[in-house]
Amino acid sequence: MIDAFTTSVLTVVLTIISLYKWVIIISALLTWVNPDPNNPIVQMLYRLTEPAYALLRKFIPTVFGGMDLAPVILIFALMFIEIFLKNLFF
């Protein structure tokens, strides 16, 4: 019973991590095309990603050569967490 619950919770957490990685990728791609800032989808993506970027920027300098690498660093961190959790529980 506990094993099934743990597996279910872990599956949900891993799915959320995977979805958040896609949100970061889409948000990063949108910065290349300069979308309308009043668009509700753009605002939602900004509200979902900017707190994580701000937290990351507080501890690590993310701008190198004029490029902000916060999305890349955050995706690598999420990949690390995802792989760590998979190896820990499965």
Side-chain angles (χ1 to χ4, degrees):
M1 174 91 163
I2 298 291
D3 188 37
F5 178 75
T6 305
T7 303
S8 300
V9 169
L10 184 64
T11 303
V12 169
V13 169
L14 291 175
T15 302
I16 290 171
I17 290 172
S18 179
L19 287 173
Y20 194 64
K21 285 191 301 187
W22 281 107
V23 167
I24 293 168
I25 291 169
I26 292 167
S27 175
L29 289 176
L30 278 178
T31 62
W32 293 355
V33 295
N34 197 15
D36 178 23
N38 296 323
N39 187 326
I41 295 173
V42 173
Q43 291 177 354
M44 179 193 65
L45 289 172
Y46 180 79
R47 283 188 299 240
L48 286 173
T49 57
E50 198 55 40
Y53 294 161
L55 180 66
L56 185 66
R57 289 179 187 127
K58 190 187 314 184
F59 298 108
I60 302 171
T62 60
V63 178
F64 298 103
M67 284 186 62
D68 185 18
L69 297 178
V72 175
I73 296 169
L74 191 57
I75 287 174
F76 281 139
L78 290 172
M79 287 173 61
F80 174 80
I81 292 169
E82 190 175 20
I83 292 168
F84 178 76
L85 289 175
K86 281 182 184 177
N87 288 334
L88 187 64
F89 288 104
F90 291 121

